[in-house]
């Protein structure tokens, strides 16, 4: 082996050792979270905690469509609905209002697990409705649908139904800070609510947040108000229904 070859070999060994050492240092070096890192770290920790503490969400195929055959006064407010499971579940605000003879659901469509675009595809015109209640967007948040697309679909639903007036509903609380689509459901609901409120204001529509009494400061459900971190309990839905009834009557005036 020549002296030149030996030098080249030694240099290559030293270079390789430096690269390996650098790799060890990169892996082992402590990392101080920056302002940009902290939300990601917090979200990751929350996802682990949420997976351990909450049951995996399960959404039965629940559908409500058309007029509800409920007792109503002659001057009851005719309203339509467009919603997801918050509206379609058996103990939802809509079903809690079935015994309220001041209101009459005359048409609409609500389907558990549906996004705004899916409800848009199924709902039909309800021109006899004085008020359209739009209670949508939580599944858009869950599936990381762009916010502007959700708002566009809400506006399209309003045009398609053709009711005289519109009442837009805030997003519900959420105990979940993750979804299998990679969305932070809790913070996403807060952003959705702000966007829905702004959209309602821009069109001169009504807006209601019937979940105020259920929502903690961080956007989660208050303890005991949700069985799964996504939907209100039957008891909690009584207060939601009361707020909805007052808002529907207010919007109809």
């Amino acid at each position: 082996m020549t002296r030149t070859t030996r030098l080249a070999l030694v240099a290559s060994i030293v270079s390789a050792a430096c690269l390996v050492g650098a790799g060890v240092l990169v892996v082992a070096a402590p990392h101080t979270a920056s302002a940009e890192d902290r939300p990601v770290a917090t979200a990751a920790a929350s996802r682990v905690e949420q997976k351990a503490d909450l049951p995996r969400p399960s959404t039965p195929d629940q559908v409500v469509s058309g007029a509800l055959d409920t007792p109503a006064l002659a001057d009851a407010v005719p309203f339509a609905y467009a919603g997801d499971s918050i509206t379609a579940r058996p103990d939802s605000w809509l079903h809690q209002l079935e015994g309220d003879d001041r209101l009459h659901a005359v048409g609409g469509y609500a389907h558990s697990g549906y996004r705004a675009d899916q409800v848009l595809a199924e709902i039909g015109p309800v021109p006899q409705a004085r008020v359209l209640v739009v209670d949508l967007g939580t599944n858009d948040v869950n599936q990381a649908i762009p916010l502007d697309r959700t708002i566009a679909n809400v506006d399209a639903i309003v045009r398609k139904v053709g009711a005289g007036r519109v009442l837009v509903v805030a997003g519900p609380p959420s105990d979940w800070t993750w979804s299998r689509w990679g969305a932070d459901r809790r913070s996403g609901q807060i952003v959705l609510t702000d966007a829905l409120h702004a959209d309602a204001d821009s069109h001169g529509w009504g807006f209601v947040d019937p979940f105020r009494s259920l929502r903690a400061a961080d956007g989660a459900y208050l303890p005991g108000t949700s069985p799964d971190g996504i939907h209100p309990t039957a008891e909690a839905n009584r207060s939601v229904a009361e707020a909805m009834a007052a808002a529907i009557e207010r919007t109809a005036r």
Side-chain angles (χ1 to χ4, degrees):
M1 181 182 295
T2 66
R3 182 174 181 276
T4 301
T5 303
R6 283 198 303 273
L7 289 174
L9 180 59
V10 170
S12 64
I13 292 172
V14 171
S15 177
C18 290
L19 289 173
V20 172
V24 172
L25 288 172
V26 168
V27 172
H31 174 65
T32 301
S34 66
E36 292 77 17
D37 291 331
R38 288 190 191 105
V40 177
T42 302
S46 298
R47 285 196 291 271
V48 173
E49 180 183 352
Q50 296 284 348
K51 286 183 179 180
D53 295 345
L54 291 170
R56 182 169 293 280
S58 176
T59 305
D61 195 34
Q62 298 155 332
V63 185
V64 185
S65 181
L68 300 186
D69 186 16
T70 57
L73 297 172
D75 61 348
V77 176
F79 74 93
Y81 54 90
D84 46 43
S85 59
I86 300 294
T87 300
R89 284 164 67 89
D91 59 2
S92 72
W93 65 267
L94 178 64
H95 290 301
Q96 300 243 11
L97 290 183
E98 286 180 328
D100 190 332
D101 58 10
R102 301 167 300 169
L103 305 168
H104 185 204
V106 295
Y109 187 84
H111 198 137
S112 58
Y114 267 31
R115 304 180 306 269
D117 64 305
Q118 292 172 301
V119 172
L120 172 61
E122 298 292 339
I123 202 167
V126 193
Q128 68 272 32
R130 193 180 307 168
V131 177
L132 166 64
V133 179
V134 182
D135 186 16
L136 285 166
T138 183
N139 293 306
D140 295 62
V141 169
N142 181 41
Q143 297 181 34
I145 302 300
L147 189 58
D148 58 347
R149 192 184 308 169
T150 301
I151 297 301
N153 285 319
V154 165
D155 293 352
I157 288 169
V158 171
R159 292 192 297 271
K160 188 173 183 180
V161 172
R165 300 185 181 185
V166 180
L167 176 63
V168 179
V169 183
S174 179
D175 291 348
W176 294 84
T177 57
W178 64 279
S179 80
R180 63 190 181 93
W181 287 270
D184 182 337
R185 299 183 69 161
R186 183 183 300 171
S187 63
Q189 296 289 8
I190 296 170
V191 173
L192 170 71
T193 292
D194 288 344
L196 289 171
H197 199 168
D199 190 49
D201 286 349
S202 72
H203 292 284
W205 300 335
F207 179 84
V208 63
D209 181 356
F211 308 106
R212 286 181 184 273
S213 63
L214 314 181
R215 188 185 290 108
D218 64 354
Y221 277 97
L222 289 172
T225 60
S226 175
D228 56 8
I230 298 173
H231 308 96
T233 62
E235 178 65 28
N237 264 324
R238 290 184 186 144
S239 68
V240 174
E242 289 173 4
M244 292 294 289
I248 292 170
E249 289 189 301
R250 185 169 61 249
T251 303
R253 295 187 190 125

